[in-house]
Structures are given as structure tokens and as C-alpha cells.
Amino acid sequence: MLNFILLIVGLLLLVKCADIFVDGSSNIAKSFGIPSLIIGLTIVAFGTSAPEAAVSITAALKGSNEISVGNVVGSNICNSLLILGICGVFKALKAKKEVRKRDFPYYLLSALVLFIIVSEYFLTGQTIATITRTNGLILLCFLGIYMVSLFTSVKREKQDMPKEEKTKFRVKDLLYILIGIIGIAAGGQLVVNGASGIATALGVSENVIALTIIAIGTSLPELVTSIIATKKGEVDLAIGNVIGSDIFNILFILGTTSVISPITLNFNTYIDIIFMLLSSLLVFIMLQKNKRIGRKKGICMLAMYVIYMSYILVR
């Protein structure tokens, strides 16, 4: 009963704090002349990834490598297929040129780097792969390069933004962002704890918990934030939140986690990484055609996610 209570309280906290966070972030973006897309790719993405960071780093320190990696990989698959799919069903998501030319390709690059790091072991006949501290530093370096390119774009886009679109800066919007981040992180953690307790009581394996319940649980902030942003017409914030979160998950969370403690993973996780890379590539191709994700594409992405979840449970 306690686990169900934690789950419900966590969901309510996520919904309310995500609403506050989107409002605060959008207002801050407009007051400084920063496009919502950039806010979505940085503050919103980093804030909503707090649950993944907390879970993965804690799991790595405890030696639960399957949870550490499975959480990130599962969350990214959830973000790309489930969240963007649901948002596409609600309202057509049109991707800006910056997303198609800069951000999504960078996410594909980060996923490809992770794939190459792990492939080195399995292609040589080994049964266990390791993300070393050196690999972690490489991932963090890629994150630094991405952030530099992102903020360079901010300077250009601020010059092109019409002055009438800027609004008055309000200190309370910073408070909204702070409350939102804390609430989202706390809500996500409550959901994960409740869901994990329920799954453990049912005798589900750690790997399945990481790829399904924990991955979906830690992705709830992205899901709620993106849906609310989409309903409010902040499509850039919705797409930027998901893509920025995916980049952050791989480069920062796995980078930081492996620097703290090298991560080992098995062949099943390698298959999941391949699926993450392929699903991301498919979504990228969808965005190139008509530059948007509409209802039909959204339904297709949701069907893919259901197929993947079925595969995980059967495996």
C-alpha cells in the first residue's frame, strides 16, 4: 500500500511542478531574448533529467550496473518513441532547422559514441563490456563541445529575435524554475521508489525493472513537461526538452557515473543500446520528411515502443 501511495503522490507532484517549471522557463527565455528551444535543450532538459542522474549515479556507487545503464538507455528510448509519439498525437510537432541540423544529429553522435565504446568488447568475442573512466571523460568532453555550440547559437538567435517578443524579467520566475526542478526530481524519485517496490514484490528482475518501470518512471518529468508544453503551444520547448534530455543522459549521466565508478554491462544491454541508436535514427528520418511528427508518425512511434516493451518482457 505504501508503494502505491508513493506512486500516486509522485505523479501528482510531477504534474504540478512540471507546469510551474514550463511557465517559469518560458518567461525567463522571453525576458532575456533566449529562444524557448535553447531553454528546452538546457535548463528544462537538465532539470527533468535529475531523476535519471540520481538513480544512475546511486546505482553505480552501489554496484547495480544494470540499473545504472538500463535506466539511461531505457529512458532515452522512452523519450524518443513514447514521449515524442504521445506529443505528436496531441499536436503536430514541427522541428526547427536548428533541431534537425544541430541538436538531433548531436544526439545521434552521442548514441553512436556509446555504441562504439561498447562494441569494442563484444566484437572481439568478450561477454562483458566496460565503460571506463577514460570513456567517461570522453563523453563529458563531447558534452562540453555541445554546450559551447549551443550557447554560440544563443548569441546569434538573440540578435534575430524581435524586441517586442521580449517580456519583463521577474524574479519569481526563477523561483518557479527552482521549485519546479526540486518538485520534478522529488516526484520522479517517489514514482521510481514506489514502482520499484511494487516490481520487487512481484519478483521482477533488476534488468527488467531498469528498462521498464525505472526508465519510464524517471522519464515521467520529460513526459509531463513535454505534454504540458505542447498543449500550451511551446512546441520548441517540448522537442528541445526531449532531445536535450537524451543528450544529457548519455554524455553527462553515463560520463559522470563511469568516472566515479567504471560500469560493466552484458550483451543484452548492448542490444538495447543498438535499439536506442536505431530508434533515434528512425525518428530523425521522420523529422526530415515534412519536418514534423504528426498523428500518424506518433502512432507508429508508440507502436514501436510497445513492441520493444514486449521484447523486454519476453527476453
Side-chain angles (χ1 to χ4, degrees):
M1 180 59 70
L2 178 59
N3 289 322
F4 280 107
I5 294 175
L6 290 176
L7 191 62
I8 294 172
V9 172
L11 287 172
L12 292 175
L13 192 60
L14 280 171
V15 172
K16 184 57 182 177
C17 290
D19 193 14
I20 294 174
F21 192 55
V22 169
D23 286 340
S25 299
S26 299
N27 292 336
I28 290 293
K30 292 174 183 177
S31 66
F32 281 99
I34 300 175
S36 295
L37 174 62
I38 301 298
I39 294 296
L41 286 163
T42 53
I43 298 175
V44 177
F46 284 20
T48 54
S49 287
E52 284 95 332
V55 171
S56 291
I57 293 175
T58 301
L61 290 173
K62 292 182 177 180
S64 300
N65 290 316
E66 288 187 2
I67 290 181
S68 183
V69 181
N71 175 40
V72 168
V73 175
S75 292
N76 278 16
I77 294 173
C78 180
N79 288 348
S80 298
L81 297 181
L82 180 64
I83 296 178
L84 287 182
I86 291 176
C87 289
V89 171
F90 269 107
K91 184 177 182 179
L93 299 175
K94 186 175 181 180
K96 281 191 173 183
K97 181 179 178 181
E98 291 84 356
V99 174
R100 294 181 286 105
K101 301 294 184 181
R102 179 195 63 202
D103 304 311
F104 214 114
Y106 207 94
Y107 168 47
L108 289 175
L109 175 62
S110 63
L112 182 61
V113 170
L114 177 61
F115 168 73
I116 292 173
I117 289 174
V118 177
S119 294
E120 177 186 356
Y121 293 88
F122 293 113
L123 293 180
T124 56
Q126 300 182 51
T127 57
I128 297 294
T130 303
I131 303 177
T132 65
R133 287 190 172 89
T134 301
N135 297 147
L137 290 174
I138 292 174
L139 293 175
L140 291 175
C141 285
F142 271 102
L143 178 63
I145 294 172
Y146 174 66
M147 295 305 295
V148 169
S149 69
L150 200 57
F151 285 104
T152 299
S153 298
V154 170
K155 293 181 180 179
R156 291 198 304 266
E157 294 178 31
K158 281 181 67 176
Q159 296 174 352
D160 298 333
M161 178 174 279
K163 293 183 179 180
E164 60 269 19
E165 291 187 19
K166 296 183 180 181
T167 59
K168 184 179 179 180
F169 174 78
R170 301 183 305 177
V171 176
K172 70 176 183 179
D173 287 324
L174 291 175
L175 182 60
Y176 286 162
I177 291 177
L178 180 61
I179 293 174
I181 290 176
I182 295 174
I184 287 170
Q189 198 62 46
L190 287 175
V191 169
V192 170
N193 289 341
S196 296
I198 295 170
T200 301
L202 296 175
V204 180
S205 70
E206 190 175 80
N207 182 258
V208 172
I209 292 175
L211 288 165
T212 55
I213 296 177
I214 293 181
I216 294 174
T218 54
S219 290
L220 282 175
E222 287 91 339
L223 175 61
V224 176
T225 301
S226 294
I227 290 177
I228 291 175
T230 300
K231 291 176 69 176
K232 291 186 175 183
E234 296 283 355
V235 177
D236 289 341
L237 194 62
I239 297 178
N241 169 44
V242 169
I243 297 175
S245 180
D246 286 347
I247 294 172
F248 181 77
N249 285 349
I250 293 177
L251 299 183
F252 178 77
I253 295 179
L254 285 184
T256 302
T257 302
S258 56
V259 167
I260 294 174
S261 177
I263 305 171
T264 58
L265 49 93
N266 56 31
F267 188 75
N268 281 338
T269 305
Y270 179 54
I271 297 298
D272 297 323
I273 291 174
I274 293 175
F275 187 85
M276 177 186 70
L277 180 60
L278 293 178
S279 61
S280 301
L281 180 60
L282 180 61
V283 174
F284 176 69
I285 293 173
M286 287 181 175
L287 284 175
Q288 299 307 308
K289 186 177 181 180
N290 301 327
K291 303 179 180 61
R292 68 177 61 209
I293 296 175
R295 180 165 297 177
K296 290 183 179 179
K297 291 179 181 177
I299 293 174
C300 178
M301 292 160 69
L302 292 176
M304 287 180 59
Y305 189 73
V306 171
I307 292 172
Y308 172 71
M309 285 291 100
S310 300
Y311 160 72
I312 291 298
L313 294 176
V314 171
R315 185 179 71 185

